Amino acid sequence: MEKQNFVTIADLSKEKIMYLLDMAKEFELHPDRELLKGRIVATLFFEPSTRTRLSFETAANRLGAKVIGFTDAKVTSATKGETLKDTILMVANYADVIVMRHHIEGAAQYASEISPVPIVNAGDGAHMHPSQCLLDLYSIYKTQGTLDNLNICLVGDLKYGRTVHSLITAMRHFNPTFHFIAPDELSMPDEYKLYCRDHGIRYVEHTRLDPDVIADADIIYMTRVQKERFSDLMEYERVKNIYILRRDMLSNTRDNMRILHPLPRVNEIAYDVDDDPHAYYIQQARNGLFARQAIFCHILGITKEDIIQDKTILH
């Protein structure tokens, strides 16, 4: 079988995306299986992570695989000067698949080109976060019943936000209308606006989190202003609390509207929103388990039919 990687969602067809979402649905019904029994998953996290790392490791464990890896590059031979190439080639000796998060854009693509085992991109700098995108799509599909013709507000750090960049590329198949809500310093990069124009994706830019704009939204996707991406801390201080979604702002929103956030949050969603029926970000994080189980099976050659017919379901 030809090696399958999961580095970007941009090259997945509409049919493949829906196929993976169907796989995730099967895992939500029965997450505990032994489809990956005897396999080893390596998680290489050169950047900090909570949800992404733990959900990948949980996905592997619930599928019967064993997990090796590290959560801090400081405890690896990278501190001795080992190159990324050598790290990848070395770990590939021990694992059937490598899940990698790295601070350098394009690191996952590079790893996929040199690795003899599949690479899963768990986030590369401000570039892409395809597994987060798949769980976002699954969350949107579950709450809206469709991915087609939705009105989606992307709010906050649109410059460095790899989750929103991935979501734009995936939604090209589904005729969305985007509202980019960001300060000038964190506005959507020109390359993604050009991508929208090239693919016929409608978008409108705003600098205010206006209740009239979010009133028509099907999805409000909040993002954290990422301190770690700023070289100028004065700039970060100026924009860090620019948008805060509060419960009193939701009174005129649609019943079907749901609030998503890749987490962690800082101040951008007030805690009084947590009990509002529109809040979905905690459930969204749970969906990451099922989406990442689907990713593992997809890249290791296990089909949706294999999952449906699986007899290793553990009760």
Side-chain angles (χ1 to χ4, degrees):
M1 184 186 75
E2 182 181 353
K3 185 185 69 165
Q4 294 275 354
N5 299 297
F6 199 80
V7 171
T8 176
I9 210 157
D11 55 3
L12 294 185
S13 66
K14 180 177 182 179
E15 292 72 25
K16 180 60 72 175
I17 288 173
M18 298 308 299
Y19 182 84
L20 290 171
L21 296 186
D22 285 344
M23 290 174 73
K25 183 178 179 180
E26 290 296 325
F27 284 120
E28 183 167 11
L29 293 173
H30 299 289
D32 294 315
R33 303 166 182 260
E34 293 187 343
L35 287 165
L36 298 188
K37 188 175 182 179
R39 306 287 190 119
I40 295 177
V41 173
T43 54
L44 311 186
F45 278 73
F46 293 86
E47 270 193 327
S49 171
T50 302
R51 278 148 299 278
T52 301
R53 180 178 64 83
L54 290 180
S55 64
F56 265 120
E57 293 183 357
T58 303
N61 282 315
R62 287 194 180 275
L63 289 172
K66 291 182 170 61
V67 179
I68 62 173
F70 56 80
T71 61
D72 184 350
K74 293 178 182 177
V75 302
T76 74
S77 292
T79 61
K80 302 175 184 177
E82 184 173 68
T83 63
L84 178 61
K85 177 181 179 180
D86 284 357
T87 298
I88 295 297
L89 294 177
M90 180 273 297
V91 173
N93 288 323
Y94 311 138
D96 298 290
V97 57
I98 294 173
V99 179
M100 186 180 81
R101 169 171 286 191
H102 205 282
H103 59 279
I104 296 177
E105 295 184 21
Q109 179 62 42
Y110 171 72
S112 73
E113 292 169 358
I114 62 171
S115 173
V117 302
I119 297 291
V120 179
N121 182 5
D124 60 331
H127 185 221
M128 287 284 167
H129 199 345
S131 69
Q132 176 72 44
C133 185
L134 191 66
L135 77 90
D136 291 343
L137 293 173
Y138 187 56
S139 299
I140 295 169
Y141 188 64
K142 277 187 66 178
T143 61
Q144 305 302 311
T146 183
L147 292 176
D148 293 306
N149 306 313
L150 297 176
N151 201 11
I152 301 175
C153 293
L154 305 179
V155 185
D157 184 355
L158 308 187
K159 180 178 181 180
Y160 301 112
R162 56 193 174 197
T163 62
V164 296
H165 299 163
S166 293
L167 190 59
I168 287 171
T169 63
M171 288 299 295
R172 73 192 183 280
H173 301 297
F174 302 102
N175 194 38
T177 297
F178 283 113
H179 292 266
F180 299 154
I181 304 172
D184 291 337
E185 297 93 332
L186 296 175
S187 63
M188 185 64 70
D190 288 342
E191 64 183 287
Y192 291 102
K193 289 187 282 188
L194 179 61
Y195 185 93
C196 287
R197 292 194 290 270
D198 287 347
H199 290 84
I201 300 172
R202 295 180 299 277
Y203 71 88
V204 183
E205 294 188 273
H206 312 264
T207 56
R208 292 181 58 245
L209 184 57
D210 191 328
D212 290 337
V213 174
I214 65 174
D216 292 326
D218 298 300
I219 295 292
I220 300 176
Y221 194 104
M222 300 296 296
T223 66
R224 172 178 65 95
V225 176
Q226 303 174 78
K227 184 177 182 180
E228 64 271 24
R229 306 290 178 209
F230 284 77
S231 57
D232 183 349
L233 289 183
M234 291 293 290
E235 183 181 2
Y236 168 74
E237 290 294 328
R238 189 166 58 250
V239 299
K240 67 177 182 178
N241 292 322
I242 193 164
Y243 304 128
I244 301 176
L245 187 66
R246 296 184 175 87
R247 187 164 185 157
D248 60 11
M249 300 170 68
L250 305 175
S251 57
N252 293 320
T253 53
R254 296 176 175 178
D255 290 343
N256 66 292
M257 188 276 287
R258 292 296 180 268
I259 302 162
L260 303 185
H261 192 308
L263 302 177
R265 66 171 159 182
V266 183
N267 299 317
E268 59 277 0
I269 299 178
Y271 284 100
D272 66 357
V273 174
D274 291 358
D275 296 326
D276 189 281
H278 296 97
Y280 193 76
Y281 30 90
I282 301 302
Q283 299 95 317
Q284 175 190 2
R286 174 172 168 76
N287 290 337
L289 167 62
F290 315 125
R292 287 166 175 133
Q293 287 182 295
I295 291 168
F296 278 141
C297 287
H298 168 60
I299 63 174
L300 291 172
I302 297 170
T303 67
K304 182 175 70 174
E305 289 68 31
D306 293 333
I307 297 167
I308 293 171
Q309 297 169 14
D310 175 39
K311 305 301 183 184
T312 70
I313 296 172
L314 305 176
H315 297 285

